[in-house]
Amino acid sequence: MGSLTPSILSPEFSDIFRTHRDTDGVMPFDRFMELALYHPQFGYYRRSRTRVGRGEDTDFYTASTSGPVFGELVAAAVVTLLGDRDPKDFTFIEIGAEPAGGIMKAVNHPFKLASTRYLGDPLDLNGPCVVFSNELFDAQPFRRMVRRAGGWRELGVALRGDRLVEVERTPPPSDPELPADVPENYRIDVPLAAGRLAATIAGEPWTGLFIAFDYGKSWLELSRHTPNGTARAYHRHTLSGDLLDRPGEQDLTCHICWDWLAAALRDGGFTEPAIESQEAFFVRHASRYLEAALHSEAARFSPRKHSLMQLLHPAHLGQKFQVLHASRDEVQNSP
C-alpha cells in the first residue's frame, strides 16, 4: 500500500471515480489522470478558466506566455526548416492550444493559414502542414511503476471514505521492458500515451514539418537516472508531488520519452527526428530573426528583449525545454 493523501474529494469527483474504477476498487493512474484532466464536465483542461499566464489565478506559464515573440521565433525557424519550400503552401496547425489561443494569433505569419486544434478536437490533418505543439505531450496520461522486493509494482488509485490513496498492485505485462537491476523503490512514470499520440498524428494523411516543444528525457534517463520519477502537479504556480490532490483543479504532468516520439515519427515515414534544446533550436534556425530583433533593441531593455531572454537563456526556458522536429514529403500507404 502507498501513503494516504489528505485531500477530501468533491462529491462530483467521488461519483466519477466510483463509476470508472475497476472491480477491485482500484483505478490505474493513467485512467485517474484522464478523468482529472479531461473529464467533459470536471476535467482540469475542460474547465472554463485561464490556466496559463503569470497572474495569481493561473497555474503555470509556458513559452507562449512571452506574447507574439514566441510565435515570431517559431515562424522564422519554420521558414528555415522548410528550405526551398514556400511557406505559403503550408497550413500551420497548432495542436493543444488553449481556447481562444494559438501562437500565430497575433503574428504576421508567412503561412497559407494558421489554425488550432484544441484538446479533444479531431486532428483532421491533410495536405501540406506544419504541425506544431507546445507542452502537449507532457499532458498525456501516464502509468506509474515502483520497484519493490526485486519486482515491479504498478501504482494505482483507490477511494477510502472520502479520500484518495495510492495503492500498489501487480502490473500488466510491461511494454517497454522495465529494468531488473535498479535500486529498491525506484519509480518510473511511463508516458506511453504521449508516444501513442505521436503515432496518431503521424498516421494522418499530411506532409510537411512536425515540431514539438516539450520537456522530456531518453528512456535510458527515465529508467536509470530519475529514481524518484518525474511526475509532478502544478497549482497556482506551486510545484507539488501530491498528484491525488484537487483532481480537476491542478495540472498533472511528467517528462515524456523522446525516444518513443522519435520512433513513432520514423515509423510514419518521417526523416530522422532531431532533438535540440529550445535555446539551440532558435539560435540555429531563427538566427536572422534574432539578429534583427537584438539589433533593433540594442539601445534599450524592452519587453521584447525581456521575452527573448526568457525564451533563450539557459537559466530560464532555453534549457528546460527541448524541441523535436522532423519532416515528411510523402504519406505512407496503409498496409
Side-chain angles (χ1 to χ4, degrees):
M1 289 290 185
S3 59
L4 288 173
T5 299
S7 311
I8 297 178
L9 279 187
S10 66
E12 294 84 2
F13 199 87
S14 294
D15 291 341
I16 294 169
F17 188 93
R18 292 187 179 95
T19 299
H20 292 276
R21 64 187 174 182
D22 292 341
T23 55
D24 62 357
V26 179
M27 181 181 291
F29 184 83
D30 58 344
R31 190 186 308 160
F32 164 77
M33 183 173 172
E34 178 76 30
L35 294 171
L37 295 187
Y38 301 111
H39 185 274
Q41 282 78 46
F42 303 104
Y44 176 77
Y45 282 107
R46 301 301 189 213
R47 294 176 182 265
S48 179
R49 59 173 292 251
T50 302
R51 289 168 284 271
V52 181
R54 301 183 183 278
E56 293 182 358
D57 294 334
T58 61
D59 295 316
F60 55 92
Y61 64 90
T62 71
S64 61
T65 313
S66 302
V69 169
F70 182 55
E72 292 168 0
L73 275 167
V74 171
V78 168
V79 170
T80 300
L81 291 169
L82 286 175
D84 295 334
R85 292 168 288 183
D86 190 343
K88 292 185 176 64
D89 294 334
F90 290 80
T91 299
F92 185 96
I93 299 176
E94 180 175 352
I95 302 177
E98 285 288 295
I103 67 165
M104 294 298 162
K105 186 176 181 180
V107 173
N108 184 20
H109 63 76
F111 308 112
K112 176 181 178 181
L113 180 70
S115 64
T116 56
R117 304 287 188 272
Y118 303 127
L119 290 169
D121 286 352
L123 290 175
D124 191 25
L125 306 175
N126 290 279
C129 297
V130 176
V131 176
F132 167 87
S133 67
N134 181 47
E135 293 195 70
L136 168 68
F137 292 96
D138 67 79
Q140 303 307 304
F142 52 88
R143 301 182 82 95
R144 310 197 71 208
M145 304 293 173
V146 62
R147 189 75 174 170
R148 299 278 197 233
W152 286 97
R153 303 284 288 170
E154 181 172 18
L155 298 177
V157 184
L159 185 61
R160 300 288 185 260
D162 55 6
R163 301 175 189 273
L164 292 176
V165 299
E166 183 182 89
V167 298
E168 297 176 12
R169 61 180 181 176
T170 303
S174 59
D175 181 20
E177 183 175 351
L178 300 173
D181 57 350
V182 295
E184 183 78 356
N185 300 321
Y186 194 103
R187 292 186 177 225
I188 302 179
D189 298 305
V190 189
L192 292 172
R196 290 194 295 267
L197 177 58
T200 298
I201 293 172
E204 293 278 304
W206 64 280
T207 58
L209 288 177
F210 174 96
I211 303 178
F213 284 65
D214 227 307
Y215 52 87
K217 298 179 181 295
S218 68
W219 177 242
L220 176 64
E221 291 173 307
L222 292 173
S223 62
R224 299 287 179 174
H225 305 307
T226 56
N228 296 316
T230 64
R232 74 283 304 270
Y234 284 97
H235 181 74
R236 300 295 188 266
H237 297 277
T238 299
L239 175 67
S240 169
D242 191 351
L243 307 184
L244 306 185
D245 193 24
R246 304 185 188 93
E249 299 179 25
Q250 66 175 1
D251 190 25
L252 301 173
T253 180
C254 81
H255 280 66
I256 62 175
C257 180
W258 288 119
D259 298 342
W260 300 347
L261 269 66
L265 295 177
R266 287 190 209 99
D267 291 344
F270 283 78
T271 58
E272 181 61 27
I275 302 172
E276 304 175 90
S277 70
Q278 181 169 297
E279 174 194 15
F281 177 81
F282 284 136
V283 169
R284 183 170 300 170
H285 304 294
S287 58
R288 290 184 180 178
Y289 172 91
L290 287 172
E291 289 172 6
L294 294 174
H295 178 75
S296 65
E297 307 285 345
R300 61 196 182 103
F301 189 75
S302 65
R304 190 177 185 214
K305 185 182 287 187
H306 178 68
S307 294
L308 284 171
M309 185 177 69
Q310 288 187 319
L311 291 168
L312 298 175
H313 198 285
H316 295 284
L317 302 179
Q319 290 295 323
K320 178 180 178 181
F321 288 92
Q322 298 88 51
V323 186
L324 182 148
H325 56 95
S327 65
R328 177 171 66 181
D329 293 329
E330 296 182 359
V331 178
Q332 286 189 335
N333 294 324
S334 300

